[in-house]
């Protein structure tokens, strides 16, 4: 798909000049990705703690890169082509709004925003600015996942796709005090992957979350969700973050049941296909693995105008799956995605700035606007 309505950058043979915001753990990972890519060069790092930013740059071998505490000020000094936002979810709204207002395209870490209304505000802001806002769903960029998707397409209509995710990490910090740590912080990866594998958007969900008695999390560290998808398939996610022993990979364990056979993937090795169809289908792999793949696609989109995976209109659906699952688990009822999106649209319209509000008001409906 082309022509998503964002400005492109001329390919003059020079690397994309990138400003990174956030010097935490993931920020440091992105510094390495920008450093290692032949298509990008780091021109600045923004963080509220300058000492942390300086230490992160030294660790990455980029000690000469300028540091600042304010995005707008450092952008004026360094003249970047784009911004990578690696801040906490609560900061995604102000950081992205600032970048877009400066005319800068944004590649943001997941989740898109801290709330669904904020996600719609950012969608409207991207439209108003004419700049690309892409969310990095880095788990999509896995060669074996591409192989699974390509080969499963030969199996006919899909009935059920399922993910099992069982790990026992002891993070400490904010995750262990969240109300829904598994659904909000981890399941988003699987939900996004399911949309991509099924090539379908969610319609409704019924989810139950709970916390095993031995859990070291304050909130619900386990959940099971059943999503109804627009193509008639069901997506079933079940997992726990306090499940010691026989752990799955961080990508989970996947099974797909279709009209002419089944496919499975352990989250790391090659997928297994049972059924005559689809065995010889070849996949075009990603341009890089993990965040390197996200970065490569972001640069490619800005150079060509081709709509990337994770473009904001598309990624709202992934975030909606997360909040719908939380709503269902909280209320013990089936939640329709469109109802959640329409309520978020009303709230976004009430809180938005003038340009955002104009775009939100121009949408024929929130579903039509998201495509």
């Amino acid at each position: 798909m082309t022509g998503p309505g964002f400005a492109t950058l001329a390919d003059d043979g020079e690397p994309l000049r990138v400003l990174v915001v956030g010097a935490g753990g993931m920020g440091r990972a992105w510094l390495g990705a920008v450093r290692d890519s032949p298509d990008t060069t780091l021109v600045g790092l923004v963080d509220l703690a300058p000492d942390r930013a300086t230490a992160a740059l030294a660790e990455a071998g980029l000690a000469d890169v300028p540091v600042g505490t304010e995005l707008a000020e450092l952008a004026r000094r360094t003249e970047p082509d784009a911004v990578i936002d690696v801040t906490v979810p609560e900061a995604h709204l102000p950081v992205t709004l600032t970048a877009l207002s400066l005319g800068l395209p944004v590649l943001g870490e997941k989740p898109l925003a801290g709330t669904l209304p904020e996600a719609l505000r950012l969608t409207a802001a991207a439209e108003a600015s004419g700049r690309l806002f892409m969310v990095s769903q880095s788990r999509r960029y896995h060669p074996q996942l591409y192989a699974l998707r390509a080969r499963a397409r030969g199996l006919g209509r899909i009935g059920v796709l399922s993910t099992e995710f069982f790990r026992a990490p002891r993070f400490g910090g904010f995750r262990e005090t969240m109300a829904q740590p598994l659904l909000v912080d981890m399941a988003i990866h699987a939900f996004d992957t399911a949309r991509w594998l099924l090539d379908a958007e969610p319609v409704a969900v019924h989810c139950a979350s709970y916390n095993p008695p031995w859990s070291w999390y304050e909130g619900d560290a386990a959940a099971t969700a059943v999503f109804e998808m627009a193509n008639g398939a069901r997506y079933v996610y079940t997992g726990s973050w306090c499940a010691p022993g026989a752990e799955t990979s961080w990508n989970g364990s996947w099974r797909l049941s279709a009209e002419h056979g089944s496919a499975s993937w352990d989250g790391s090795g090659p997928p297994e296909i049972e059924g005559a169809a689809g065995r010889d289908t070849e996949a075009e792999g990603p341009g890089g693995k993990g965040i390197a793949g996200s970065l490569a696609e972001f640069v490619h989109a800005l150079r060509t105008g081709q709509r990337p995976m994770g473009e904001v209109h598309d990624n709202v659906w992934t975030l909606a799956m997360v909040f719908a699952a939380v709503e269902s688990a909280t209320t013990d009822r089936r939640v329709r995605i469109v109802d959640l999106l329409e309520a978020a649209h009303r709230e976004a319209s009430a809180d938005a700035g003038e340009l955002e509000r104009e775009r939100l008001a121009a949408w024929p409906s929130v579903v039509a606007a998201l495509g």
Side-chain angles (χ1 to χ4, degrees), residues 87 103 110 167 240 268:
T87 58
K110 65 84 186 171
R167 304 283 301 189
S240 172
S268 56

Side-chain angles (χ1 to χ4, degrees), residues 51-232:
D51 290 346
R52 179 169 57 192
T54 300
L57 289 169
E59 182 181 295
L62 300 166
D64 294 335
V65 171
V67 168
T69 58
E70 295 184 4
L71 169 57
E73 187 276 330
L74 191 58
R76 282 192 290 269
R77 282 199 282 136
T78 59
E79 299 183 342
D81 297 315
V83 167
I84 297 178
D85 177 14
V86 204
T87 58
V88 296
E90 294 76 15
H92 289 184
L93 179 72
V95 169
T96 304
L97 287 178
T98 297
L100 293 174
S101 72
L102 295 171
L104 297 172
V106 180
L107 175 58
E109 257 295 338
K110 65 84 186 171
L112 193 168
T115 69
L116 202 52
E118 288 181 356
L120 295 183
R121 287 183 59 187
L122 289 177
T123 306
E127 288 184 6
S129 71
R131 297 298 184 269
L132 172 62
F133 176 29
M134 169 184 163
V135 180
S136 171
Q137 294 286 170
S138 58
R139 298 300 176 95
R140 282 196 190 188
Y141 298 89
H142 194 299
Q144 302 299 354
L145 185 60
Y146 272 64
L148 172 64
R149 185 175 189 261
R151 298 180 69 187
R153 283 175 177 260
L155 296 175
R157 291 170 293 184
I158 298 172
V160 178
L161 174 67
S162 64
T163 308
E164 292 186 346
F165 177 85
F166 292 96
R167 304 283 301 189
R170 292 180 179 268
F171 296 108
F174 71 93
R175 290 180 180 88
E176 294 190 4
T177 61
M178 292 173 66
Q180 292 283 357
L182 181 73
L183 287 174
V184 173
D185 195 61
M186 189 65 212
I188 188 172
H189 290 297
F191 294 174
D192 182 75
T193 298
R195 288 182 52 236
W196 186 64
L197 287 174
L198 292 169
D199 195 20
E201 302 302 2
V203 173
V205 62
H206 204 138
C207 178
S209 66
Y210 46 96
N211 206 27
W214 62 86
S215 173
W216 47 94
Y217 295 85
E218 292 182 16
D220 287 354
T224 297
V226 180
F227 286 92
E228 303 162 35
M229 306 300 288
N231 62 355

Side-chain angles (χ1 to χ4, degrees), residues 31 41 52 108 278 343:
L31 292 179
T41 185
R52 179 169 57 192

Side-chain angles (χ1 to χ4, degrees), residues 25-40:
M26 278 305 299
R28 293 177 185 229
W30 276 101
L31 292 179
V34 172
R35 176 199 61 205
D36 295 341
S37 170
D39 300 320
T40 55

